[in-house]
Amino acid sequence: MKKKKGSWIGYVAPYLLILVIVVAITLLFNNNSYGSSQHSDVAWGEIIVTHRDADGNEVNDYEKSFLWNQKIESLQVTRYNEGKLTIAGYYLANDAQNREIRYSFTSSGLLTEANLSYIDTIVKTRTTDNGTLYYTNQNYAIINAYESNGFMDWLPTIIFFVLGIGAIIFIFSRLNASVNRSNNTALDFNKSRARREEVTNVHFDDVAGCDEEKAEMIELVDYLRNPGKYSKFGAKLPKGVLLVGPPGTGKTLLAKAVAGEARVPFYSISGSDFVEMFVGVGAGRVRDMFKKAKQNTPCLIFIDEIDAVGRQRGAGMGGGNDEREQTLNQLLVEMDGFSDNLGIIVIAATNREDVLDPALLRAGRFDRQITVNLPDKQGREEILKVHARNKTISPTVNFKAIAERTVGYSGADLANVLNEAAILAVRENKKEISTKEIDEAIDRQFAGPAKKSKKMSERERQIDAYHEAGHAIIGLKLDGSDVVRKVTIIPRGNTGGHVLMTPQDDYFLMTKTQLLAKIAGLLGGRSSEEIFFSDITTGAHQDIESATRIARLMVTQYGMSSLGPIQYERDQGSVFLGRDYNNTQKNFSNQVAFEVDQEVRKIIDEAHEKALEIIRKYKEDVELIAKALLEKETLNAEDISYLIENRHLPLDETEQETKVEPIETSKEPVQEEPKEESSGENKN
């Protein structure tokens, strides 16, 4: 286990402690000032007290002396060669509030035999209450100011010498440690960055929504556990498995589950860990990684985001990257070169298989390519149940209904939805996660958090309501449209509202009818604005963008126009990912480009007319939905069905029944029943 590096405080603290101790000792030996917060200067006449008798002789009054009457704690008498005598010390006395305070005192006089004798007599005569001498060696000292003390004279030199030696040792130890770290770093620079995991807590039970992919991976686990079962049929261990799929579909989780089930050493590394600025470093790390793996066979090597090192050689601007290409060459050799890697399985994950080098994808290197797609409805339900294990979920939550609302969500998206729902439940101090929090989490991920503080004028709210109602009525009345799940005019992100529409069942193919219905649904909001307000707003710009993109794909790539089944455009990757300079490759002349534009315009115009036709025919239903949105702001599928059937919203327990009266408008006849319907989409 690698030791953590200590902070600079940990290195400096011992030296600071030594310095403090030395300074304290120095001050202790040199403290002759007896400084105190309370200090008084005592007159020499209070120290040496005398009077004259009847004969005129001078008599000493010892008991009237300051040294006799006060509670002296310590006393020091200092003799100076200049004939000066100094007395200093500490005594205790009561202040004005009768509190005992410690004072320091000093007094100076002449250095005479009489004064020394006077003080000596007091020291030898004054006794305590129990008869012992008051002044002892512990609280009385007489010194000569000019006497030499050998230890005190040499103490400063000793202190500076010790500190100097300590500083030198400290500096050289740090330099030595730095040099050692530099040497170790230089030696480890070419070492593999792969992290070995002996035990992982992820198993196949923790992976849901990809049963076919798990079946392929379970076979690898069985091979590692029982190689004899396959060797009798001549089956060899596959050298590599490439997991391909959109982000968040569980590729990394699936690789961890293989390691957890196989119970073999598991080395994990990212493709970016191989590539450095110095040429040859990545190749060295690849060699070191496979060297360690060969010493611990059987084992698994997992390379995440392999496209960082496995891109096509010699592609992109500048012709490629020498360091990355050398690393890729070494990886190709290690996987299928001159030596066999028996017992080593390499699992790699990427969502950009289109930029990988063909030599990396051939059989013998990555023998299996497993596509991990977005989960279907049943898979989404299972994923939700897996991520709900460690959360307090209300029994009323219907995961099947949530799975129907989350079409196109990956496993990571679903995990994030439940996590956001848990955060919302905590924010509202609830005891469990209910459907309300999950619905709000889906809306937050779909369009951002609700902007409740955003104030819209009443006219803007009406335009918004009729816009969303136009989307919804196309989804309800046009064949081929997705199911309307929710309509709201609550602002979120850059949108003033949105219509959530998902297919009734998951599908892998889309028909021309469905695409036309989707375009008509996208234009439903714009069409509603034209009919009810005789004006248009900027709110439909994202709808128009999406509709135009779908129409152009129908003409140029899907062959769903009068131009025939011809592919006129083909998507290209970024030049930095090993592709051409243009994102889209165009294989047609200027005349064909003009015809493509005409076909796109024709599809858009027909869808627009279809949307206008349906909204005019069901004008009262649009008004009904719009009024309900202005009242309630959000309608779910059940509310809309009840509203269309009963012409008013379902009653709440705390509300009285109120009917929404439709606005009287002139009805324009529709010559024929609509054959196609469209789906509502987001509105900005």
Side-chain angles (χ1 to χ4, degrees):
M1 183 176 178
K2 189 175 181 180
K3 296 182 178 179
K4 295 182 178 179
K5 296 181 180 180
S7 64
W8 64 271
I9 297 178
Y11 293 107
V12 176
Y15 302 98
L16 291 177
L17 180 61
I18 294 173
L19 179 61
V20 170
I21 294 174
V22 171
V23 172
I25 294 174
T26 305
L27 293 177
L28 181 64
F29 277 97
N30 289 321
N31 186 16
N32 295 327
S33 64
Y34 292 92
S36 175
S37 59
Q38 300 290 335
H39 179 78
S40 63
D41 291 326
V42 180
W44 186 253
E46 296 182 33
I47 301 295
I48 308 297
V49 182
T50 61
H51 71 275
R52 293 187 180 275
D53 57 9
D55 298 333
N57 297 322
E58 189 177 76
V59 180
N60 295 325
D61 290 336
Y62 299 110
E63 296 182 357
K64 295 181 179 180
S65 172
F66 180 86
L67 301 179
W68 188 284
N69 293 316
Q70 297 296 331
K71 295 181 180 179
I72 306 296
E73 280 193 335
S74 63
L75 178 65
Q76 179 177 291
V77 179
T78 305
R79 301 170 58 180
Y80 293 88
N81 293 341
E82 295 84 359
K84 180 181 177 182
L85 186 65
T86 299
I87 296 176
Y90 292 96
Y91 71 97
L92 300 175
N94 294 333
D95 61 1
Q97 287 77 27
N98 201 28
R99 295 175 302 179
E100 193 173 61
I101 304 298
R102 188 171 184 258
Y103 295 90
S104 65
F105 70 94
T106 57
S107 184
S108 299
L110 294 176
L111 177 60
T112 62
E113 290 296 331
N115 289 340
L116 289 175
S117 176
Y118 187 95
I119 296 172
D120 188 61
T121 300
I122 293 177
V123 170
K124 294 181 178 179
T125 305
R126 185 181 178 185
T127 59
T128 61
D129 294 339
N130 57 8
T132 60
L133 289 175
Y134 187 87
Y135 293 100
T136 63
N137 292 334
Q138 282 71 32
N139 62 356
Y140 170 71
I142 182 170
I143 62 175
N144 192 328
Y146 299 100
E147 284 185 356
S148 177
N149 188 325
F151 176 76
M152 295 304 299
D153 290 342
W154 284 95
L155 182 61
T157 304
I158 295 173
I159 291 174
F160 287 113
F161 180 77
V162 171
L163 291 178
I165 295 297
I168 293 173
I169 294 174
F170 174 74
I171 292 173
F172 276 96
S173 64
R174 298 294 296 165
L175 289 175
N176 188 38
S178 177
V179 171
N180 289 336
R181 284 196 299 270
S182 300
N183 292 336
N184 293 335
T185 303
L187 294 175
D188 293 341
F189 197 66
N190 245 21
K191 295 295 183 64
S192 170
R193 303 292 178 88
R195 296 165 292 278
R196 174 170 175 169
E197 297 182 28
E198 297 292 345
V199 179
T200 176
N201 296 325
V202 181
H203 299 279
F204 283 130
D205 293 338
D206 302 316
V207 183
C210 49
D211 296 336
E212 294 78 9
E213 293 82 354
K214 282 198 298 184
E216 294 288 334
M217 306 303 282
I218 288 174
E219 191 176 77
L220 295 180
V221 175
D222 187 41
Y223 193 107
L224 291 171
R225 290 183 178 180
N226 306 300
K229 186 169 73 172
Y230 296 87
S231 60
K232 67 179 181 180
F233 290 96
K236 294 183 179 180
L237 190 70
K239 294 183 178 181
V241 177
L242 181 64
L243 301 177
V244 179
T249 51
K251 299 183 292 296
T252 303
L253 186 66
L254 196 59
K256 289 183 178 180
V258 172
E261 295 288 342
R263 296 193 295 272
V264 295
F266 178 68
Y267 294 91
S268 62
I269 191 171
S270 173
S272 60
D273 289 333
F274 291 113
V275 182
E276 292 284 352
M277 64 179 295
F278 303 108
V279 177
V281 174
R285 290 177 179 175
V286 171
R287 286 190 296 269
D288 185 66
M289 180 180 68
F290 277 90
K291 178 182 177 182
K292 292 179 180 178
K294 291 175 183 178
Q295 296 171 355
N296 297 276
T297 56
C299 67
L300 293 172
I301 296 176
F302 175 62
I303 305 176
D304 197 10
E305 304 297 343
I306 194 174
D307 53 273
V309 69
R311 296 177 188 171
Q312 292 184 13
R313 291 166 288 183
M317 288 193 301
N321 180 286
D322 288 338
E323 161 63 3
R324 188 177 68 240
E325 291 184 3
Q326 285 198 19
T327 306
L328 174 59
N329 291 337
Q330 188 63 43
L331 182 62
L332 296 175
V333 171
E334 292 291 345
M335 291 191 68
D336 187 20
F338 295 103
S339 59
D340 292 332
N341 294 324
L342 298 177
I344 300 177
I345 297 180
V346 180
I347 303 177
T350 182
N351 47 40
R352 290 303 310 271
E353 74 280 8
D354 56 317
V355 302
L356 295 180
D357 194 276
L360 194 64
L361 300 177
R362 74 162 177 84
R365 292 198 171 101
F366 283 102
D367 301 287
R368 292 186 181 180
Q369 297 184 28
I370 300 175
T371 302
V372 186
N373 285 317
L374 293 172
D376 56 11
K377 182 168 63 176
Q378 182 179 356
R380 291 192 297 273
E381 182 180 354
E382 294 174 357
I383 292 172
L384 288 169
K385 291 179 180 179
V386 168
H387 291 293
R389 291 176 183 172
N390 60 342
K391 294 178 176 62
T392 307
I393 305 292
S394 171
T396 60
V397 173
N398 186 351
F399 289 114
K400 183 177 181 180
I402 297 172
E404 292 177 351
R405 286 192 55 193
T406 53
V407 176
Y409 279 49
S410 65
D413 293 333
L414 296 173
N416 186 56
V417 165
L418 289 185
N419 185 62
E420 286 289 336
I423 294 174
L424 292 172
V426 173
R427 184 183 300 174
E428 298 178 8
N429 296 320
K430 290 192 173 182
K431 296 182 179 179
E432 57 187 9
I433 303 171
S434 64
T435 305
K436 178 182 177 182
E437 285 75 44
I438 298 177
D439 287 342
E440 175 63 20
I442 293 173
D443 290 340
R444 289 168 69 92
Q445 184 157 338
F446 177 69
K451 295 185 177 180
K452 297 181 180 179
S453 61
K454 184 177 180 179
K455 301 298 182 183
M456 301 175 64
S457 66
E458 187 60 29
R459 178 170 176 79
E460 285 181 327
R461 291 185 75 247
Q462 288 181 357
I463 294 175
D464 197 13
Y466 279 90
H467 182 108
E468 302 303 337
H471 284 309
I473 203 66
I474 301 296
L476 292 171
K477 302 300 182 180
L478 184 59
D479 291 336
S481 296
D482 292 338
V483 179
V484 178
R485 305 288 184 183
K486 186 176 185 180
V487 186
T488 179
I489 58 171
I490 297 176
R492 291 179 181 272
N494 295 324
T495 67
H498 66 270
V499 178
L500 178 61
M501 302 178 66
T502 59
Q504 182 68 38
D505 298 307
D506 292 329
Y507 51 74
F508 296 96
L509 300 174
M510 291 191 69
T511 64
K512 182 179 179 180
T513 301
Q514 289 174 322
L515 291 173
L516 291 174
K518 184 176 287 292
I519 295 174
L522 288 167
L523 299 176
R526 161 73 172 258
S527 303
S528 180
E529 292 177 6
E530 295 178 25
I531 293 175
F532 289 97
F533 297 95
S534 299
D535 200 357
I536 54 177
T537 67
T538 60
H541 78 275
Q542 277 194 353
D543 298 331
I544 296 173
E545 178 184 351
S546 299
T548 305
R549 179 178 55 83
I550 296 174
R552 190 166 189 87
L553 287 173
M554 292 175 64
V555 175
T556 60
Q557 295 190 33
Y558 301 155
M560 295 180 177
S561 70
S562 60
L563 295 182
I566 301 174
Q567 186 184 49
Y568 293 102
E569 293 179 353
R570 182 162 57 93
D571 287 337
Q572 296 292 308
S574 172
V575 60
F576 296 102
L577 296 177
R579 293 301 181 192
D580 204 348
Y581 283 91
N582 297 320
N583 289 336
T584 304
Q585 182 180 0
K586 299 180 179 180
N587 299 319
F588 50 80
S589 64
N590 292 334
Q591 176 62 31
V592 174
F594 174 73
E595 295 177 4
V596 167
D597 292 339
Q598 283 186 320
E599 289 295 325
V600 172
R601 180 183 295 273
K602 179 181 177 182
I603 292 174
I604 295 294
D605 289 342
E606 291 178 354
H608 187 202
E609 290 299 325
K610 179 64 67 176
L612 290 172
E613 179 184 1
I614 293 175
I615 292 174
R616 288 193 183 102
K617 180 178 180 180
Y618 300 101
K619 191 172 183 179
E620 293 183 359
D621 291 339
V622 175
E623 292 174 338
L624 194 65
I625 296 173
K627 279 192 170 184
L629 284 172
L630 290 171
E631 177 185 347
K632 197 175 179 181
E633 290 190 330
T634 300
L635 301 175
N636 56 32
E638 292 77 12
D639 294 335
I640 296 173
S641 298
Y642 188 92
L643 181 64
I644 297 298
E645 181 179 353
N646 298 280
R647 315 309 292 175
H648 63 81
L649 289 171
L651 298 178
D652 295 334
E653 295 180 359
T654 59
E655 296 180 351
Q656 297 295 328
E657 179 179 358
T658 57
K659 291 188 178 181
V660 181
E661 297 294 340
I663 300 175
E664 292 295 335
T665 57
S666 59
K667 302 180 182 179
E668 298 183 11
V670 180
Q671 297 181 359
E672 59 180 2
E673 290 294 328
K675 298 180 180 179
E676 300 176 0
E677 303 182 6
S678 71
S679 61
E681 292 291 334
N682 292 351
K683 163 190 170 294
N684 252 358

